[in-house]
Amino acid sequence: MATICQITGVGVTRGHHIHRSGKAKKEGGIGRHITKRVKRVILPNLRSKRIFVPELNKFVEVKLTARALKTLDKNGAYVTLKKAGLI
């Protein structure tokens, strides 16, 4: 299964991590210098949850981010899942 939130659609983001070398000027060095940028993958904070929908009187299993879980608590399970097209 893909690492994508079923409610918000958030997926994997690609970015860089900067490698630095040297000693800071305030510590008595000549300053920090960037030596290279290394590629990295930023993964979403995913959870697999069984959510009970009282309107349908059944459980729905979804893979969602922590932020989507907060949205689900705020707006209600039925409204959020229906808007995402999971019901």
Side-chain angles (χ1 to χ4, degrees):
M1 204 171 186
T3 55
I4 297 173
C5 176
Q6 291 180 318
I7 293 177
T8 59
V10 173
V12 175
T13 308
R14 302 197 185 280
H16 291 95
H17 177 74
I18 297 172
H19 279 202
R20 293 181 178 92
S21 68
K23 193 173 183 181
K25 285 185 178 180
K26 65 182 177 183
E27 293 176 2
I30 60 164
R32 306 268 286 164
H33 299 289
I34 294 173
T35 56
K36 62 181 171 180
R37 286 185 359 168
V38 180
K39 289 181 182 177
R40 63 169 290 210
V41 174
I42 303 160
L43 299 173
N45 189 6
L46 286 177
R47 275 97 173 71
S48 294
K49 293 284 183 183
R50 280 179 69 225
I51 295 164
F52 183 73
V53 183
E55 289 84 358
L56 303 175
N57 199 25
K58 67 175 186 177
F59 283 93
V60 179
E61 194 163 328
V62 290
K63 193 173 191 181
L64 43 78
T65 57
R67 179 177 288 271
L69 195 59
K70 288 174 72 175
T71 304
L72 216 133
D73 285 340
K74 181 181 177 185
N75 299 335
Y78 184 75
V79 174
T80 308
L81 294 172
K82 186 153 181 81
K83 191 174 180 182
L86 297 171
I87 295 179

